[in-house]
Amino acid sequence: VSIAICRGVPFLVEDLQLTKPTTLLSVPTLYKKIYDRVYNAMENASPLRKSLMRTALDLGAANAEYRNGNRGPLGPIDRIKFNILDKLVLSKIRDRFGGRMRHGFVASAACPTEVMKFMDSLGIPICEGYGLTETSPTVTLSGPSNRSVGSVGRPIVDVDVYVVDESGKTLPPGEEGEICCVGPNVMRGYYNNPEATNAVFSVAPDGVSRMFHTGDLGQLDANGWLKVTGRLKEQYKLDNGKYIVPTPVETAIGTSRFIHQSVLYGANRPHNIVLLVPEWDAIRTELGFDEESSEEDMASDSRVTELINAELAKSCSKIKKFEIPQKWAFVAPFTAANNMLTPKMSVRRHKVIE
């Protein structure tokens, strides 16, 4: 088995072509970028090409549903169409990953369901996992033949996962609470810091084991699939008393091909606001701005305002009304260089809000 490590984001496309991996371990950003590029290309293509791309993705999605056991096989005509369009369209997209990828793995942040389904339609299933440094680091994991899209998997061998309420009581399937775990992968404690150690451990439901509190919010379904919904410490309350977990809202907003990054905020405010880092290239192409137009000029254009308002309305259509941001503003990109991103590409929320 050969293992290759990417030299960095600027070399990602080149390294994929050089190494031609069969399995890729990545943060969600990579898959989201491919998703955005494909949909940008499709929206700006000629009517014929756009129709071919859309049909190819639709048939790919139907074929993925069949592979996953959620529907019957494609009919004879659709199978012929799929085989042709797979070679003409989908294989070209797979080539961006080197052309040999069988599946991928993603962790460190939530991967939007739309992006997961898009990768499925290409014939490259993406498996999610979950864990922390304190858990060495895996707690749950999906496999290529054992997945539930939108879930981060089931507990690995010898690990038990519980979802508990504020009092530490185990919650039934489907209810949201703090994710906790027990297993040999869990750390003994923080070095020379018993106070911090005691703060994250309690007694497990069996009355004997030490249970680690992850600080993450989530749900377990009746079949043991875990869904992570946010960070407990990121939860805040609007001045109307409604509690907000920002991650699901940000994930929904991030599905727009015109938005690169977003941070939601609204603690002790009457409503949420969202800071947006736009995808200027996609906006420029969509609205027909020439190359001479600066980002400042585009940001102040009423057409851009209308476009973003429409995108927010569409992406937030399935979340609760009080969670929807009522105001938004463009900001500079969040990067590691300006200390807004961690090394694993997670946004430093407190730095952005400051």
Side-chain angles (χ1 to χ4, degrees), residues 75-339:
I77 296 177
D78 280 345
R79 169 55 61 182
I80 293 172
K81 289 181 180 178
F82 172 72
N83 289 337
I84 294 172
L85 292 175
D86 184 61
K87 292 179 180 178
L88 291 176
V89 179
L90 301 184
S91 66
K92 304 298 189 298
I93 304 173
R94 291 195 295 269
D95 285 344
R96 299 188 183 192
F97 294 93
R100 298 199 307 159
M101 263 189 67
R102 295 198 298 263
H103 46 254
F105 287 85
V106 63
S108 87
C111 190
T113 299
E114 289 80 359
V115 176
M116 299 278 287
K117 290 181 177 179
F118 164 73
M119 294 301 297
D120 258 7
S121 70
L122 299 182
I124 305 175
I126 303 300
C127 309
E128 290 192 272
Y130 167 74
L132 302 85
T133 302
E134 292 91 338
T135 59
S136 310
T138 309
V139 174
T140 63
L141 191 63
S142 297
S145 59
N146 187 26
R147 296 185 310 140
S148 176
V149 174
S151 158
V152 293
R154 288 174 167 144
I156 60 173
V157 177
D158 294 331
V159 172
D160 294 314
V161 172
Y162 304 93
V163 175
V164 305
D165 62 16
E166 293 178 354
S167 66
K169 180 183 176 182
T170 302
L171 294 171
E175 291 197 21
E176 183 182 74
E178 184 180 10
I179 300 169
C180 300
C181 64
V182 174
N185 59 325
V186 177
M187 68 172 185
R188 294 174 63 184
Y190 297 111
Y191 182 66
N192 281 344
N193 196 340
E195 184 177 348
T197 299
N198 292 334
V200 296
F201 280 99
S202 66
V203 179
D206 64 9
V208 178
S209 305
R210 294 168 75 240
M211 183 168 71
F212 174 66
H213 291 248
T214 67
D216 290 321
L217 292 169
Q219 305 166 343
L220 272 172
D221 71 12
N223 296 314
W225 295 101
L226 178 66
K227 180 179 181 181
V228 180
T229 56
R231 287 287 293 168
L232 190 61
K233 66 181 181 181
E234 292 175 354
Q235 181 175 257
Y236 59 82
K237 186 165 64 172
L238 299 174
D239 69 2
N240 61 10
K242 299 287 188 180
Y243 281 96
I244 302 291
V245 179
T247 302
V249 182
E250 292 165 353
T251 300
I253 291 172
T255 58
S256 168
R257 63 191 180 94
F258 302 111
I259 296 172
H260 175 51
Q261 296 167 311
S262 65
V263 168
L264 191 76
Y265 185 68
N268 301 313
R269 295 172 180 265
H271 52 252
N272 280 324
I273 61 173
V274 63
L275 303 177
L276 303 174
V277 177
E279 288 281 8
W280 285 121
D281 288 343
I283 292 174
R284 187 187 300 276
T285 303
E286 177 72 14
L287 298 179
F289 287 104
D290 58 42
E291 293 300 323
E292 302 300 318
S293 300
S294 67
E295 292 180 0
E296 290 76 15
D297 291 338
M298 290 189 287
S300 59
D301 192 293
S302 61
R303 292 176 297 164
V304 174
T305 301
E306 292 172 4
L307 175 65
I308 297 302
N309 284 339
E311 287 296 301
L312 289 176
K314 182 171 67 174
S315 58
C316 294
S317 61
K318 295 182 181 180
I319 66 176
K320 297 173 183 175
K321 187 175 180 180
F322 65 84
E323 295 177 321
I324 299 173
Q326 301 301 307
K327 295 182 179 180
W328 57 268
F330 286 149
V331 294
F334 310 137
T335 67
N338 61 21
N339 204 31

Side-chain angles (χ1 to χ4, degrees), residues 26-51:
S26 172
V27 295
T29 304
L30 168 63
Y31 303 111
K32 176 63 165 57
K33 282 186 176 295
I34 298 292
Y35 171 88
D36 286 342
R37 288 177 183 175
V38 169
Y39 275 88
N40 284 335
M42 184 165 64
E43 291 302 322
N44 295 293
S46 65
L48 175 59
R49 187 182 177 195
K50 182 176 180 178
S51 176

